[in-house]
Amino acid sequence: MALPVTYILSNINKALAFEWIAEELNGKGLTLSFILLNPSDSALQDFLIDRGVEVVRIDYRGKKDLPKAIARIFGFLFRNKTQVVHCHLFDACLAGLFAAKLAGVKKRYYTRHYATFHQVYFPRAVYYDKLINSMATGIVAISENVKKALLGEGESAGKIHIIHHGFKLKEFTQVPENRVNSLRKKYNLEGKRPVIGVISRYFELKGIQFVIPAFQKLLTIFPDAHLILANARRFRLHPAKPFSHSH
């Protein structure tokens, strides 16, 4: 009998990693379902529906929606007889792990994607991190740095499992030429060499203060260089609202 596993995610529009998970794992000894905490429909939701993967979207816009989200997640997990829950991102972890514990789900995992983000910017949110840690039966750390941060919060080493982000390498080595040309045209890259790409939100913890001066120096050597700052939306800090940000 296939093991029912539910992924719970928050504030995600498109994410290749979860598309790959759905494609590679669903139906192979596992029956996957997804709960998405989002304010609107998303590209990931459409992807899952197109491939026949069960997906539920809960209208979620911030901490005021937390009780509703917990109730709906609890109902789904109970009806679905979910045996394993895996949560990603702060709001999903808080709501999902609490609901899973109420529903009696024995295996409750979450992936920690950030290290000292809360210690630096949202010190009060560290208490919520510790609450999330206590509700999880296992924690996936994406790097040694994240593991170190978890240990610093008092978490036991035996509960932490390091799993680095994986990639489908053929997606990088077998890129269709028409896709390359369309991106080159979109970003006006004709004749630009080298092209430097940075995928990051625009704030200090991501090192943007080093990227710009470094590129300035590069221009003195390669005057035709081009810098693309992808996902470079400005980041606003709201220390009084620990649920208002996403990672």
Side-chain angles (χ1 to χ4, degrees):
M1 182 177 177
L3 183 70
V5 177
T6 300
Y7 279 83
I8 305 174
L9 321 172
S10 55
N11 300 313
I12 287 181
N13 178 34
K14 180 175 176 62
L16 287 174
F18 296 111
E19 293 179 7
W20 295 339
I21 285 171
E23 287 181 325
E24 299 294 335
L25 296 183
N26 192 43
K28 299 176 182 178
L30 306 174
T31 300
L32 299 188
S33 56
F34 284 76
I35 299 175
L36 307 180
L37 277 60
N38 276 340
S40 60
D41 293 343
S42 63
L44 177 59
Q45 181 179 342
D46 293 339
F47 177 91
L48 295 170
I49 291 172
D50 287 344
R51 282 152 183 78
V53 180
E54 185 173 11
V55 55
V56 173
R57 180 178 75 82
I58 297 175
D59 188 29
Y60 188 88
R61 300 173 187 275
K63 62 180 180 180
K64 64 181 177 58
D65 295 322
L66 196 62
K68 175 186 68 176
I70 292 172
R72 288 199 59 190
I73 294 169
F74 169 83
F76 177 88
L77 298 177
F78 188 80
R79 291 190 303 272
N80 191 59
K81 296 181 172 57
T82 294
Q83 294 185 34
V84 180
V85 158
H86 194 157
C87 302
H88 290 259
L89 302 178
F90 187 75
D91 300 76
C93 291
L94 197 59
L97 292 172
F98 188 73
K101 194 166 185 178
L102 288 177
V105 178
K106 301 296 185 185
K107 295 183 179 180
R108 304 181 300 274
Y109 298 93
Y110 88 93
T111 293
R112 174 77 167 251
H113 292 275
Y114 54 93
T116 58
F117 181 84
H118 285 160
Q119 285 92 328
V120 175
Y121 291 107
F122 300 92
R124 285 189 295 172
V126 175
Y127 296 104
Y128 293 100
D129 285 335
K130 291 181 178 181
L131 174 62
I132 288 170
N133 294 343
S134 70
M135 292 188 292
T137 58
I139 304 170
V140 176
I142 63 168
S143 67
E144 289 286 350
N145 190 42
V146 172
K147 179 179 179 179
K148 183 178 178 181
L150 287 163
L151 293 173
E153 292 170 8
E155 196 50 66
S156 63
K159 196 173 176 179
I160 303 169
H161 313 276
I162 294 182
I163 302 178
H164 301 289
H165 283 318
F167 297 91
K168 284 189 174 182
L169 295 181
K170 69 177 182 180
E171 300 285 338
F172 299 88
T173 59
Q174 301 175 18
V175 183
E177 188 64 26
N178 63 334
R179 185 180 175 194
V180 174
N181 291 334
S182 66
L183 287 172
R184 186 178 289 125
K185 182 178 180 180
K186 178 178 180 181
Y187 294 107
N188 192 28
L189 300 178
E190 293 294 341
K192 305 293 186 181
R193 295 290 186 278
V195 176
I196 310 296
V198 178
I199 303 174
S200 167
R201 284 169 292 165
Y202 199 87
F203 74 116
E204 185 180 12
L205 192 64
K206 294 297 185 180
I208 197 70
Q209 71 274 22
F210 304 116
V211 171
I212 304 301
F215 185 72
Q216 270 187 315
K217 291 182 179 179
L218 185 70
L219 282 174
T220 64
I221 306 171
F222 301 101
D224 292 325
H226 194 89
L227 175 64
I228 297 177
L229 297 176
N231 195 41
R233 54 192 173 87
R234 190 176 178 185
F235 186 80
R236 296 184 179 182
L237 297 177
H238 296 285
K241 300 178 181 179
F243 308 113
S244 64
H245 57 279
S246 60
H247 308 294

